[in-house]
Amino acid sequence: MQHLPIASPDPIPLPGPVWLLRTLLLLTFFLHLVAMDLALGGSLLAVFYRLRRKSEFARQTARDLAAKLPVMMAYTITLGVAALLFVQVLYGNFLYASSILIGIPWASVIVLLILAYYGFYYAAMHDEAGAGVRVVGALAALLLLAIAFIYVNNMTLMLTPGRWIALYRRHVSGWNLNLGERALIPRYLHMLTAAIALCGLFVVLSGIRQRTTQFGQWLIRQGAAWFAGATVVNYGFGLWLLLSLPARIRALVLGANGVATVLFGAALFLSLAAVVHALMLRAGRRPVANASVCVATALAAVALMVVIRDYVRNGYLPPGYQFGQLRVVSQTSIIVLFFVLFAAGLATVYYMLSKVAAARPAGDPASARQQKA
Ligand code: HEM
């Protein structure tokens, strides 16, 4: 511990107890993750469906996804800022150091985000999937892939202070990534594949709203296939990720820590249940009931994975680091104000989403209803 270049925690005391800030970090990160999955997964699926130009259903799906991507981006960014607030408060002395070490890619996230945002607006506003929209949509998706990669680099580097000095010496100007990290690629692929899976569920839900039409049924089958296929692939990436963790940390979810192990088992079980229901959906059985169970179990599995990720993160902290004993001077009024504004924010989001859900589905054009996918 004393040989590691970790700065002391911020001398300004925490405004609330560690358990509360940690809970809020997990909550806001879960929300960020769901929005990010829809933005990243949606951008990739839009690219895929734009390439299937012969199918009217595919073109319509690409248009529907494109129309929603700017909104998904807005949620991703806003909820990411909330998570960033808490992660900085709790792990500032780790995150600031790693952010400086990969300073150039890290700062470039802002530029990449702005460009991707423009790209999504362009694709949303140009209805006909001409070559321009296909190229711009694909570039914007690539930018999101790059942003996610930079995040995974920083989130892993902040946990490995033993690597900091060498990286600093290699490129003092911040031209670094954390490419020497064994868990980097499996962690990235795990996040990416989960994004495709969750966006598949989003496609299912769009189909459920118009399930009496051919287009709606096609959407349900497509979305269920994306979800089930991506999740099955993700068992492989998840296993790779687990094997790439240091043995001491891997052991946490494999028996050494009772709670983490139970949560890990429950997450696997829930994800399996979600896959089974997705397969039943794909077979056309009881769409509303199966979609509801599939979405509920999948979201519960993601929520548990967020908690497990937190166990893993804290497992990385150097032995002897006194996390949880940071100085606290509770500022009750500020915490109460935060909760009031947070609840109002969530209510506003719910209101906006319910308006979007109540709007007439853009899909199922008369022509599409007649055509075969
Ligand atoms: C569309 C753009 C974005 C994408 C694709 C994205 C993707 C990701 C991914 C993949 C992770 C997980 C990294 C890991 O665990 O290894 C992550 C975590 C995180 N993101 Fe985002 N992100 C985006 C935008 C943002 C923005 C704009 C912010 C805030 C300003 C943000 C804040 C965070 C924070 C704080 C975490 C870590 C939370 C924690 O460790 O508990 N993200 N993001």
Side-chain angles (χ1 to χ4, degrees):
M1 164 79 181
Q2 56 267 48
H3 300 302
L4 293 172
I6 304 171
S8 308
D10 197 330
I12 299 173
L14 299 184
V18 168
W19 66 263
L20 179 64
L21 298 176
R22 208 169 152 190
T23 309
L24 288 170
L25 167 59
L26 297 189
L27 175 64
T28 49
F29 179 59
F30 169 73
L31 296 173
H32 169 63
L33 202 59
V34 173
M36 183 277 279
D37 284 350
L38 299 184
L40 179 59
S43 68
L44 295 172
L45 292 198
V47 170
F48 173 84
Y49 284 117
R50 273 191 205 110
L51 291 175
R52 291 186 56 194
R53 272 179 293 165
K54 291 209 175 107
S55 160
E56 171 59 26
F57 287 174
R59 287 204 302 273
Q60 185 60 45
T61 309
R63 277 194 290 268
D64 289 349
L65 285 170
K68 294 192 175 83
L69 282 172
V71 181
M72 311 288 192
M73 283 290 283
Y75 285 132
T76 304
I77 295 168
T78 313
L79 293 162
V81 172
L84 191 58
L85 181 78
F86 294 111
V87 87
Q88 284 177 160
V89 168
L90 289 170
Y91 302 93
N93 47 342
F94 293 88
L95 184 66
Y96 290 140
S98 60
S99 302
I100 290 168
L101 288 170
I102 64 161
I104 306 278
W106 185 240
S108 76
V109 163
I110 298 170
V111 179
L112 301 181
L113 261 181
I114 293 171
L115 292 176
Y117 225 146
Y118 268 117
F120 289 135
Y121 266 112
Y122 178 88
M125 285 179 337
H126 292 75
D127 200 33
E128 264 323 301
V133 170
R134 281 202 300 281
V135 171
V136 171
L139 286 176
L142 277 178
L143 292 176
L144 285 204
L145 285 172
I147 294 171
F149 187 64
I150 294 169
Y151 266 96
V152 178
N153 271 270
N154 204 1
M155 294 302 136
T156 48
L157 184 59
M158 72 178 256
L159 299 174
T160 44
R163 200 173 277 143
W164 292 353
I165 296 278
L167 274 189
Y168 177 70
R169 290 196 178 127
R170 190 174 307 156
H171 289 293
V172 91
S173 59
W175 267 114
N176 288 303
L177 281 171
N178 192 24
L179 301 178
E181 165 65 52
R182 276 182 71 202
L184 182 79
I185 300 299
R187 186 162 170 161
Y188 179 64
L189 292 175
H190 194 56
M191 293 276 175
L192 175 61
T193 315
I196 294 173
L198 271 211
C199 192
L201 283 189
F202 184 75
V203 173
V204 166
L205 291 181
S206 317
I208 290 287
R209 291 176 56 213
Q210 36 195 327
R211 61 186 173 281
T212 51
T213 65
Q214 270 188 38
F215 180 52
Q217 287 158 17
W218 182 85
L219 284 174
I220 294 173
R221 286 197 303 278
Q222 288 280 311
W226 280 115
F227 175 78
T231 305
V232 168
V233 170
N234 228 0
Y235 287 125
F237 290 144
L239 181 65
W240 182 11
L241 175 57
L242 194 63
L243 294 176
S244 64
L245 294 176
R248 179 177 62 85
I249 296 168
R250 180 168 58 239
L252 289 177
V253 295
L254 295 179
N257 182 309
V259 181
T261 306
V262 168
L263 292 181
F264 186 54
L268 288 182
F269 173 77
L270 285 166
S271 67
L272 209 58
V275 169
V276 170
H277 285 277
L279 292 177
M280 292 201 275
L281 261 177
R282 183 151 171 79
R285 289 175 36 201
R286 300 173 60 216
V288 176
N290 278 321
S292 310
V293 178
C294 189
V295 171
T297 46
L299 287 180
V302 174
L304 291 185
M305 286 292 176
V306 165
V307 180
I308 292 157
R309 176 177 171 277
D310 193 56
Y311 273 100
V312 168
R313 167 164 50 201
N314 290 336
Y316 268 99
L317 295 182
Y321 180 74
Q322 300 293 302
F323 179 73
Q325 294 178 15
L326 300 169
R327 208 156 72 83
V328 176
V329 176
S330 285
Q331 299 179 33
T332 315
S333 53
I334 296 205
I335 299 273
V336 169
L337 183 64
F338 172 82
F339 272 110
V340 170
L341 293 177
F342 189 55
L346 289 183
T348 313
V349 169
Y350 176 77
Y351 175 75
M352 286 192 293
L353 288 180
S354 62
K355 284 279 169 205
V356 172
R360 200 178 61 82
D364 199 28
S367 57
R369 225 174 276 145
Q370 308 307 326
Q371 290 183 32
K372 281 233 170 288

